[in-house]
Amino acid sequence: MSIDNQNNGYFPTARLRRLRYHPGVRRLTRDTILAPDRFIHPLFVRPGEGIRTPIDAMPGQFQLSIDELVKEVKEIEKRGVGGVMLFGIPEVKDAVGSDAMSDDGIVAQAIRALRDVVSKEFLVIADVCFCEYTDHGHCGVMQKCGRCGDEWDVDNDATLANLVKQTLVQARAGVDMVAPSGMMDGMIAAIRKGFDDNGFERLPIMSYSAKYASAFYGPFREAAESAPQFGDRRSYQMAPDSAPGQALREIALDVEEGADIVMVKPALPYLDIIRMAKDQFPGLPLAAYNVSGEYSMTKAAAANGWIDEKRVVLETLTSIQRAGATIIITYWAKDVAEWLS
Ligand code: PBG
């Protein structure tokens, strides 16, 4: 029998189960430890009062009016979650998403309301995109294009100007960080310049840098009432079967443009991309979005008694962190903070 030095000896000398018999040893050798204060809870806010509308496809999640949002956020903060990310469902949608660019828009109001009730430690983050605010459900201003000039698509550069307006509204309302999710070229540079020119040079940007055109966003589009009325998002979000290096190019560009934190989204089908990003940019804070479809699938299986929700969720989030994401955006943030306390 030969001794395999690279494996540090061989059985019976090497018995890896010695690390597993005693619970104290198992605890000591843990490596990926979930930290709820690095979780962000997404929330959906809409006009009105006393509204807490359950989202069918996302059991346990709600569309909330601002008064209900305030209660929810207080509870989320109390449990030790790091912050919330706001998505707005406006009273009125139009072609450009005016509500998002108004100081009286739903998210601006929500940010101001939350500023009064959360501590300085707690982060109020706003998603930056137009799909919830436009009547067509696309992520920006539409223009005619295509080979015959008769197809509609998002006008990249016209959308940039509106993204600057949207983020300045959020900044003036007192947001702690913005998270642009529209996958427009140049969006980070435009927003960064808008901030720097207007005295918000300290405000960080978390970019949805590598965001895929994913079927896993289905339940979110019900929650945010943001499904595209025609077409799809494939001319701006990345193709699942594109070269993994394209995600790295997106991240590198965002960093050059001034992104402070980058994100990979969705999380589970793209754990390889998370790991690549972590290896390529070790000093860059990396977030992952555990999206609506990932949430709904687990909820559905758990509701049928097919899996143990708590264990599956903890294992899932551990896998996302182990892949390299230290910041996790998840609809389970509130529950997990409770489970881990
Ligand atoms: C807005 C946006 C979406 C999600 C986050 N920001 C939807 C989309 O791109 O269609 C999805 C989040 C989720 O599925 O939980 N662009």
Side-chain angles (χ1 to χ4, degrees), residues 87 127 129 131-132 139 181 208 211 216-217 220-221 233 237 265 289 291-292 331:
F87 293 92
D127 179 84
C129 191
C131 60
E132 303 111 75
C139 300
S181 64
Y208 287 64
K211 177 174 177 179
F216 286 87
Y217 307 151
F220 172 95
R221 291 178 187 172
R233 303 212 201 291
Q237 300 179 348
K265 179 191 171 189
Y289 199 139
V291 303
S292 57
Y331 302 96

Side-chain angles (χ1 to χ4, degrees), residues 7-22 25-26 29:
N7 281 336
N8 198 19
Y10 67 104
F11 181 82
T13 314
R15 286 180 181 270
L16 289 180
R17 288 187 63 196
R18 279 195 294 263
L19 295 173
R20 298 172 199 144
Y21 292 113
H22 192 298
V25 175
R26 289 202 296 271
T29 54

